[in-house]
Amino acid sequence: MAKPLLAGNWKMHGTATSAAKLASEIAEISGENPEIIVFPSFVSIPGVVSALSGRKNVAVGAQNLSHYSDGAYTGEISGQMLAELGCTYVLVGHSERRTYNAESNELVAEKFSAAQKSGLTPILCVGETFQQRQDKIQLQVIKAQITAVIEKVGLQSVCDAIIAYEPVWAVGTGETATPDQAQQVHSYIRAELGDKGVDTQLLYGGSINADNAADLFTQPDIDGGLVGGASLEAEHFNNIVQQLIERK
Ligand code: PGA
């Protein structure tokens, strides 16, 4: 059984000061379980790492990384830079980056590989658009997104990472996938990974909040969540953490 995990993606919200404050509040109210990861903006990472020093219950991740390891790439951040700052996780293929930065499945696979080479655990985000769901091709879309990464790094490396199913139509829209819709995709992903994927953490993301979290977390193949908007306030996020702990 995969271990429960809750991740908070803070996107481009707040400042280094407010991010450090939010990190300490989350660490203060969250107990030892489940595993928690926060994803501040790049510039907020050092302050968040230092606000969390000595607290083992919350890990820090980055929202993106370069697929290059080093070189003349102005404005880019390498996996090694992130690892040195104290990050242990990184998001790859978030739908906002696929959409606004034209990140292809192949580029996401390169980033996934760069992350693992730097010792970071990638969280691979996959998910279909509204139109793709209307066309009933969501499973093909997700398969292509995952296959591109398997072709680059191999099945075992993908199973060693974390996968987040985030339907594009549910991210930041207030519209959540129903527990059945989410479970259907999660069980499909689990089956695609086969025996090696039994313990792979599969997260759901897309407008999770304190009102809908419990029903999502009771699904057999949903091991936790990747939370955006509802992770920006410590009490709200902790409420979701509690629901994951208490899930039936
Ligand atoms: P949301 O974002 O919870 O605000 O929909 C989720 C995400 O982008 O990971």
Side-chain angles (χ1 to χ4, degrees), residues 7-16 18-26 36-41 44-45 48 52 58-61 63 91 96 226-234 237:
N9 176 11
W10 296 347
K11 308 192 182 187
M12 201 179 74
H13 292 293
T15 62
S18 67
K21 183 165 171 281
L22 178 57
S24 344
E25 287 168 0
I26 287 174
I36 294 172
I37 315 167
V38 292
F39 291 87
S41 69
S44 301
I45 290 169
V48 167
L52 294 173
V58 186
V60 181
Q63 298 171 18
L91 300 179
E96 285 154 12
L226 176 54
V227 185
S231 69
L232 295 172
E233 208 253 303
F237 187 67

Side-chain angles (χ1 to χ4, degrees), residues 9 11 94-96 166 170-174 205-208 226-230:
N9 176 11
K11 308 192 182 187
H94 189 281
S95 62
E96 285 154 12
E166 297 207 304
V171 172
T173 59
S207 298
I208 294 185
L226 176 54
V227 185

Side-chain angles (χ1 to χ4, degrees), residues 69-90:
S69 58
D70 184 63
Y73 302 105
T74 303
E76 293 293 329
I77 309 269
S78 73
Q80 193 191 359
M81 293 172 183
L82 297 170
E84 194 194 76
L85 287 183
C87 287
T88 42
Y89 295 87
V90 63

